[in-house]
Amino acid sequence: MNRNQAKILGSLLTVCGMSAAASAQSQQVLFFENFDDIALGQNVEEGIDTGTGGVMDNVWTPDFPAGWVVDFNLPGVGVTEWQGWNIADGRWWAFTCGDQDRTDFVEPSEGGLSRGGVAIADGDEWDDFDANGQDPDSIDLMDTMMATPAFDMTGVAAGTVNLSFFSSWRDEDLQTAVVEVRYDGGSWEEVLRWVSDDTDPNFKDDAPNEIVSLDIDNPVASTMEVRFSYLDGGNDWWWAVDSIQVTGERDGSASNAPGYSFIAADIFNETGRPVISVGDAVGADDYTVVLAKDAGFTDVRQMSTTNASGDYMIPGIPNGIYWVKAVANNGAGSRDSENAIRIVVDNPIDVDFNGDGLLNFFDVSIFLQGFNAGCP
């Protein structure tokens, strides 16, 4: 370890390799929705008349955020929770429906992208029960659409919009997914189509856990909307969507909080200096890396803010189990990374004061600095 490396001890976090945040400053978040701020209520049929688990609190709602428009072609037909697009707690959805690869999307331990509330169109579960004793998909196939509110596009350059979202899709029979956009209340323009027919050019095979990213050739406009349609659904699996994000190039300061990001790290570390890799969040001015002793981040042990995404070294951590997350910040707000990571620090050298896994001059130097400062 050289003298320059020793300088990391003067700060909590050190950037080991980074991408300049300035590269993302012109690309701003225009719209973001992850359905996590929606109040969920009790289930009414799923898990009771069909499915598993009985009555549970805080698991489902038909109510979308203000300004959203939702349509369903068969009101009152099929399982109430799945009559068209609905919002549910993802882990409850997977549990009550018997999994069938739903956990791939909603279970963090399985690498699932989605957290908390998720928008779900599930023809497979919708067809399982009807309060009037009908066979839902013998009446008609399920068509449902959900559209975002119109959001501001003032100052957004033409051809710079990107639409991304977390998606869980399993195909079967005629089931179809469509994404459309429109500007200033005009006609809808299709930007994505998935079908379940493997002979069709738009065939989409099972993809229960992915991030979909679409570059949109947008005109200069005042407003934009996005619509998601699940069509011709019967006893035919599902489409679930979360963390819908629209970005575009715009001058000036960000008017919305940054977009989503993820972190990565080695789970087990034989050094007190674990490295945390923080992904870039669109529109972020800086990032705060937070280290805590609990998953709820109520017992925070270390935190520091830096102006770039990249790899961060956290020095001098005592042995133990910790949780780490990143927070992307700008002048309009902050957003936690989509994931937090549990790490274990097991440094075999008890007097390794600088956490590099070695016992050397620098550990002695740190000890003497503390001793001379009156720290026992």
Side-chain angles (χ1 to χ4, degrees), residues 41-103:
Q42 290 184 343
N43 50 318
V44 294
E45 289 182 348
E46 179 65 58
I48 304 166
D49 298 300
T50 183
T52 302
V55 176
M56 301 181 73
D57 294 326
N58 306 316
V59 295
W60 166 81
T61 182
D63 299 326
F64 275 67
W68 283 72
V69 176
V70 181
D71 188 31
F72 175 53
N73 65 324
L74 296 169
V77 175
V79 178
T80 296
E81 286 83 351
W82 315 123
Q83 291 177 16
W85 286 104
N86 283 262
I87 299 171
D89 176 83
R91 298 174 83 176
W92 171 77
W93 170 55
F95 163 72
T96 192
C97 298
D99 192 358
Q100 299 171 313
D101 294 340
R102 293 173 177 86
T103 54

Side-chain angles (χ1 to χ4, degrees), residues 27-43:
Q27 193 78 7
Q28 298 182 21
V29 175
L30 309 175
F31 176 84
F32 186 90
E33 182 57 66
N34 62 9
F35 307 108
D36 290 346
D37 294 330
I38 305 302
L40 302 178
Q42 290 184 343
N43 50 318

